[in-house]
Amino acid sequence: MSLNLATTNTQSGQIKISHVFKKYGAHQALEDISLEIPAGSVTVIIGPSGSGKSTLLRTMNHLEKVDGGFIQIDGEFIGYKNKGDKLYELSEKELLKQRESVGYVFQNFNLFPHLSVLQNIIEAPLAHKKFNRQQAIAKANQLLMMVGLREKAEAFPKQLSGGQQQRVAIARALALDPKVILFDEPTSALDPELVGEVLNVIKNLAKLGKTLVIVTHEIAFAREVADYIVFMDQGKIIEQGYTEQVLEHPREERTRNFLSRVL
Ligand code: ADP
């Protein structure tokens, strides 16, 4: 059976991050971050704990507001619209609409505990009036098949393992047909034996032509799936480039030190 999960235009989903700054109190969490992520690529962000990886990911769908700089996806400002030469923050409604094209997978799954697996997946498409109920259910079932959980449609989150819950969360993130999917340490809350099943699902997603940005400590996985690696430390991008270049021939000493500790 063929699954039609790809977006209509597989070349969309280009991310441009331009001179982004973010402070928490006196702490500079992001300092002058610029990064261009090509449409349809897989980018893995690595770096020590506290280096700003999650903060950067969260700015990409305006879960976190930037203090300076801007982010665009396919030329559209994230969190803002421009009128004349000024930027205005999007209303809550406009932001929800914009987030249809930027899926997010959280470390702790964030499924609705009182909804079944199927209801979790169809909730957003119905709320956004993206599909009618029948279409949303058909799509949810396709997505559940893709993540290997077709038989769990009627189960509730607490009846599932962590790995299964995260696979449902990935199916849910795909339900609105996003151009970009952001993964914030998608396996770090899982028991080690459940990590592989989630990484396998992400590997399959990489073949669908969507733009994936993944924060992870799984370097072996990064080596296998990523087109590009971004190494961050203390709120800055220290090094970025093709996966093999950064992981096998890092140019910066800080990257080498980090990799020697985690490999
Ligand atoms: P990483 O994902 O690399 O572990 P984070 O982006 O989570 O790093 O955090 C970067 C820095 O910003 C850390 O020092 C963290 O303590 C701080 N930080 C993150 N979120 C907040 C917040 N909501 N309030 C205050 N400080 C925060």
Side-chain angles (χ1 to χ4, degrees):
M1 176 172 182
S2 75
L3 297 181
N4 180 20
L5 298 169
T7 47
T8 42
N9 176 2
T10 50
Q11 278 318 297
S12 61
Q14 183 208 31
I15 307 172
K16 180 179 164 93
I17 301 173
S18 187
H19 300 289
V20 159
F21 288 78
K22 174 73 190 177
K23 245 183 183 177
Y24 294 113
H27 179 73
Q28 194 75 52
L30 298 177
E31 191 173 344
D32 200 12
I33 299 282
S34 292
L35 181 63
E36 295 206 16
I37 296 177
S41 62
V42 179
T43 298
V44 168
I45 306 178
I46 59 172
S49 188
S51 57
K53 305 181 297 296
S54 293
T55 303
L56 179 61
L57 201 71
R58 292 164 66 82
T59 63
M60 292 186 211
N61 73 347
H62 206 59
L63 281 172
E64 208 68 75
K65 272 189 219 178
V66 301
D67 300 332
F70 62 84
I71 297 174
Q72 291 171 308
I73 296 185
D74 294 334
E76 191 181 321
F77 286 100
I78 295 302
Y80 298 88
K81 59 187 164 191
N82 55 336
K83 277 194 195 153
D85 56 358
K86 276 199 175 152
L87 288 184
Y88 296 89
E89 195 167 6
L90 295 180
S91 67
E92 200 55 35
K93 198 171 157 201
E94 290 168 324
L95 196 55
L96 285 176
K97 178 83 192 141
Q98 185 173 69
R99 286 194 184 134
E100 286 182 14
S101 55
V102 191
Y104 202 96
V105 175
F106 296 88
Q107 196 172 342
N108 291 311
F109 334 130
N110 282 16
L111 296 176
F112 299 114
H114 60 291
L115 298 182
S116 71
V117 162
L118 186 80
Q119 288 164 334
N120 262 281
I121 299 172
I122 64 175
E123 189 269 344
L126 294 184
H128 288 239
K129 300 193 170 55
K130 178 118 181 170
F131 301 113
N132 68 34
R133 194 173 175 82
Q134 205 180 352
Q135 291 168 326
I137 290 175
K139 171 123 182 140
N141 281 324
Q142 279 189 336
L143 291 168
L144 281 173
M145 196 165 351
M146 192 190 109
V147 301
L149 291 172
R150 180 75 174 78
E151 75 292 355
K152 297 291 185 189
E154 301 309 323
F156 284 83
K158 66 170 187 291
Q159 299 169 312
L160 303 179
S161 72
Q164 290 172 329
Q165 288 186 58
Q166 191 59 301
R167 283 147 64 197
V168 173
I170 293 171
R172 183 179 60 173
L174 283 162
L176 285 169
D177 242 346
K179 302 191 270 194
V180 173
I181 310 179
L182 308 172
F183 295 85
D184 189 3
E185 299 198 28
T187 60
S188 62
L190 300 177
D191 293 334
E193 72 273 20
L194 302 178
V195 167
E197 65 191 62
V198 171
L199 295 182
N200 276 333
V201 166
I202 301 175
K203 268 186 240 166
N204 285 333
L205 275 190
K207 297 174 196 149
L208 292 180
K210 292 180 187 291
T211 309
L212 308 185
V213 186
I214 308 166
V215 172
T216 184
H217 294 287
E218 303 281 344
I219 303 290
F221 166 69
R223 182 178 284 120
E224 214 180 317
V225 78
D227 299 306
Y228 305 102
I229 302 280
V230 173
F231 171 66
M232 293 182 68
D233 195 11
Q234 298 185 333
K236 294 189 189 133
I237 292 179
I238 305 301
E239 181 161 0
Q240 57 176 295
Y242 288 112
T243 301
E244 194 195 326
Q245 185 261 302
V246 177
L247 295 184
E248 314 306 333
H249 313 285
R251 295 193 180 103
E252 301 293 328
E253 190 171 351
R254 271 201 264 182
T255 320
R256 280 198 288 277
N257 286 342
F258 173 77
L259 290 172
S260 69
R261 287 200 304 274
V262 296
L263 285 177

